[in-house]
Amino acid sequence: LVDRKLVSKGEVHIGAHTFIGYRVCIMPGVRLGKYCVVGANSVVTSSFPDYSMIAGCPARLIKRYSYLEKKWLPVT
């Protein structure tokens, strides 16, 4: 095997209590807020705020949690 230097292209920040599904790819420089849900097989290329539900390739915002209504609301 050839020795290679370990190179970082940017940090990934994952908020507290964030759930990351199976086989998710999070790209460098992405920030996920607290209590986010990332669907399985998603490719996260951009940052998302707290209480976001995201999925897809590239990942998109699907729902946001509303404390006023105490439930997940679809994005319009």
Side-chain angles (χ1 to χ4, degrees), residues 42-64:
S42 297
V43 178
V44 185
T45 58
S46 59
S47 299
F48 292 93
D50 297 344
Y51 304 99
S52 298
M53 183 181 296
I54 60 175
C57 181
R60 297 179 305 190
L61 183 63
I62 296 173
K63 296 181 182 181
R64 296 266 336 245

Side-chain angles (χ1 to χ4, degrees), residues 2-23:
V2 177
D3 292 329
R4 295 183 188 173
K5 284 187 172 181
L6 186 60
V7 178
S8 173
K9 294 187 178 184
E11 292 185 3
V12 173
H13 296 276
I14 299 173
H17 307 287
T18 291
F19 175 80
I20 299 174
Y22 183 70
R23 298 188 69 149

